[in-house]
Amino acid sequence: LLFFIVSIMLFQVSFSQKTKKSKINELEFCNYKILITNLKQLKFSKAEVYNFNCKSTNKDMPDYKLVDSNKMTATSAKKVCELTGKEKITLLKVLTNSKNYMSRIPESKGCYNPRMGFIFYNATNKIVGHFDICLECNQILFENFLNNYTCQLDFYEEGKKKFKSLCNYYKVGCCEK
């Protein structure tokens, strides 16, 4: 009987961990393999780099992300540049590298102050997705509006190095955070 009770308790703990939500915007953390699949399926013809205000925090903007999902417009982040064809290919290689992302359900650190992000547009200049990066708590937020997919995930130090390299390459600012 004791074994049965302990088994039920372990199942409940395991189930509650799988459905753990982020404090950032109450999204469920996602699986990195599904993230990569959705990144590869994202059909876009234009990509732009954006810089968030270095002094803003998620307390200033509780739903702090690059694109307002309801209005499908960029938020108050500042556009840095539009990527060239080669830069788009390089960006996708970095974003779809499975070695960047954790395969476990992370603990939310409660910070999430993204400093850099990318907006993806289709041929008619409609936003089809965005990818936001917080270098302070090592989290990303990705939305693919074509697949109605949203993902929030932690990344490893290896991913942080690559994202920081992109940040410096595009001269986004706030890259040391």
Side-chain angles (χ1 to χ4, degrees), residues 61-102:
M61 297 176 68
D63 197 18
Y64 203 45
K65 56 186 180 178
L66 187 52
V67 174
D68 180 331
S69 305
N70 297 322
K71 297 178 185 174
M72 297 299 288
T73 57
T75 59
S76 60
K78 179 184 171 192
K79 178 181 168 184
V80 175
C81 66
E82 183 176 330
L83 281 79
T84 65
K86 285 184 180 181
E87 289 172 328
K88 289 189 288 188
I89 292 168
T90 301
L91 175 65
L92 277 178
K93 284 181 182 176
V94 171
L95 299 184
T96 58
N97 184 339
S98 64
K99 294 179 182 175
N100 291 338
Y101 307 105
M102 295 187 176

Side-chain angles (χ1 to χ4, degrees), residues 11 14-15 21 30 38 52 71 77 93 101 106 123 127:
F11 175 77
S14 172
F15 182 77
K21 302 239 180 186
C30 64
N38 271 273
F52 289 90
K71 297 178 185 174
K93 284 181 182 176
Y101 307 105
I127 295 174

Side-chain angles (χ1 to χ4, degrees), residues 31-64:
N31 180 297
Y32 75 95
K33 292 176 184 176
I34 298 170
L35 165 73
I36 291 169
T37 298
N38 271 273
L39 278 162
K40 288 178 178 178
Q41 291 174 348
L42 187 65
K43 303 292 183 215
F44 66 96
S45 58
K46 181 171 97 172
E48 296 175 336
V49 181
Y50 280 79
N51 172 345
F52 289 90
N53 182 342
C54 294
K55 295 176 182 159
S56 294
T57 67
N58 66 345
K59 293 173 188 162
D60 301 327
M61 297 176 68
D63 197 18
Y64 203 45

